[in-house]
Amino acid sequence: MIPVLWLCGPPGVGKTCVAWRVYTHLREGGVAAAYVDIDQLGMCYPERDSDSGRYRLKARNLASVVANFAAFGATCVVVSGVVDPSYRPAVPGAAATLCRLRVDRDELVRRFPGRSGGGGPVAGVVASAEELDAGTIADLCVDTTGLAMPEAVAAVEAATEGWRTAAGAPPPLPVFVPTDGQVLWVSGVPGVGTSTVGYAIYERTLRSGRTTGYLDLRQIGFGARGQVDHQLRAANAAAVWRAYRDLGADGLVIVGGIDAHGAEAHYARALPAATPAVCRLHANRADLADRILPRGERGSWPQPGDPLLGLPVERLRQVVERAVADGGELELAETGVRVDSSGLGVAETADAVLATGVWPLLESGQGQK
């Protein structure tokens, strides 16, 4: 058995931030912990009427990802995300502790309009909070009303003390089934726009009427090794794609960094039946600096573990130089289909990617408003 701590609650309650800090505290204490946000495991649309909110899809993928984390050395897993108040997800081979976070309604309303990334009407968030308050699926509840983030984290850690005590056989690994379909990997070094461009292509594909999945490789790669582990990321990508394909998805857009040292081979082995395409975005030094330096104060989206958020300018300048050097290595290796994003906005870069023909599900210009 592997212990799993799942922090749930309505949007805006702070579950992702608290979960990430619990995870980092474990890592700092020498614990081989892993982390995933449940929303990252259900980005496949349009959703089915039989699984509104894609809760069962996310639970299936969570079981696979937790098993892979354990196989790659994790001794526990921290999870964040909304759960269906009427459905407690099963994670085979895991000893799950479901901890619900809540705040008073007035504070939830104040938090939500300013929540980076949006998420839905405030009335719906309040209704979700009330439904969770009335439910009984959680093992415990921690009220963080009026607490600053460090205080909220301390309250959760105190309330969940002992959640890592579990014994038994490790969770069963997901059954490997070679899965066909179109897979587009939008890659590159930090600052080239992999996430924003990949997501733009994903949205256009959805608007064209295709059932499509999206996956951020970094967000499924917070494993026990504490480093970029393409073998783990590939295993998780294969499991998630299998679930999306079973729902009828035609293609999968994945985003994430690549290297010039054979990382592609891990994904080729994990996705042997798919039709893959790697698009490598490139940008010049000036553009990389313009995109990376402001990230110390804000992120492009509220991603867990943003590696640049909060860094001082001097450290960000080092990130720029590292990106330039890594980009040069990728240029020499001629990795993937090269698209230069220098001087281009997100939509223009997406146009340039589609113009290469690497994404047959969507012709160049299709799906634009």
Side-chain angles (χ1 to χ4, degrees), residues 166-333:
L173 284 171
V175 177
F176 179 74
V177 180
T179 307
D180 63 354
Q182 299 289 332
V183 177
L184 172 63
W185 182 1
V186 182
S187 68
V189 300
V192 295
T194 53
S195 296
T196 52
V197 172
Y199 197 80
I201 293 171
Y202 167 65
E203 287 188 312
R204 291 189 191 184
T205 311
L206 291 178
R207 288 198 297 269
S208 75
R210 296 275 195 174
T211 299
T212 314
Y214 176 87
L215 191 60
D216 186 321
L217 293 176
R218 186 168 185 274
Q219 294 298 317
I220 58 169
F222 295 122
R225 297 177 182 177
Q227 59 188 12
V228 176
D229 189 338
H230 285 293
Q231 191 176 0
L232 169 63
R233 293 182 180 186
N236 282 339
V240 171
W241 174 227
R242 173 73 264 173
Y244 289 175
R245 189 69 166 144
D246 285 348
L247 287 180
D250 300 306
L252 174 70
V253 177
I254 61 178
V255 299
I258 196 171
D259 60 42
H261 310 293
E264 289 175 84
H266 294 299
Y267 299 90
R269 286 192 291 269
L271 300 164
T275 304
V278 177
C279 174
R280 173 175 53 88
L281 302 184
H282 177 78
N284 59 37
R285 180 190 299 269
D287 272 40
L288 289 174
D290 287 344
R291 297 169 187 176
I292 290 173
L293 294 180
R295 288 276 301 280
E297 298 179 357
R298 56 174 174 79
S300 55
W301 64 283
Q303 61 173 308
D306 187 331
L308 303 182
L309 190 64
L311 291 184
V313 173
E314 286 308 311
R315 181 69 185 90
L316 290 167
R317 294 190 189 282
Q318 294 174 12
V319 174
V320 172
E321 294 309 310
R322 182 71 264 171
V324 171
D326 290 346
E329 288 188 5
L330 291 173
E331 291 279 86
L332 291 174

Side-chain angles (χ1 to χ4, degrees), residues 5-51:
L5 175 62
W6 187 337
L7 301 186
C8 64
V13 77
K15 52 192 176 294
T16 301
C17 292
V18 172
W20 179 259
R21 294 201 187 188
V22 170
Y23 162 71
T24 55
H25 286 176
L26 290 169
R27 300 286 305 170
E28 291 164 357
V31 177
Y35 167 82
V36 69
D37 186 273
I38 197 69
D39 286 343
Q40 300 297 321
L41 305 179
M43 299 183 71
C44 184
Y45 293 90
E47 66 182 29
R48 300 293 181 261
D49 291 340
S50 58
D51 189 18

